[in-house]
Amino acid sequence: QLHLRENRIFNQGAQAIAGALRENSTLQQLDLRGNDIGVEGAQAIAAALRENSSQPVRVRPWSRPQQ
């Protein structure tokens, strides 16, 4: 589990998380609640989760994506 709740994560941080998720083989839960991830960051995370099917990850989403 990785709890990143309320850590001021924005698009750039979400893209970094997406890069890590592409390589993930152990993480099962990711808590991103309370961050300000926008559409670009959300798309990057979603794409990473689709690309890496070796380990399903349950994501607790952040607030509604910001434009």
Side-chain angles (χ1 to χ4, degrees):
Q1 295 181 3
L2 181 58
H3 299 277
L4 296 174
R5 188 174 186 174
E6 297 180 17
N7 273 287
R8 296 187 192 198
I9 298 172
F10 299 95
N11 282 330
Q12 186 175 4
Q15 290 169 351
I17 290 168
L21 288 172
R22 283 186 183 88
E23 305 297 322
N24 174 53
S25 62
T26 57
L27 183 66
Q28 295 178 352
Q29 292 187 27
L30 176 60
D31 186 349
L32 293 170
R33 292 177 289 174
N35 288 291
D36 292 314
I37 297 171
V39 173
E40 290 177 17
Q43 289 172 339
I45 289 173
L49 292 170
R50 281 192 306 271
E51 291 171 20
N52 182 355
S53 60
S54 66
Q55 176 66 43
V57 178
R58 177 177 178 230
V59 178
R60 289 185 169 222
W62 49 96
S63 300
R64 180 179 41 149
Q66 304 295 314
Q67 295 292 329

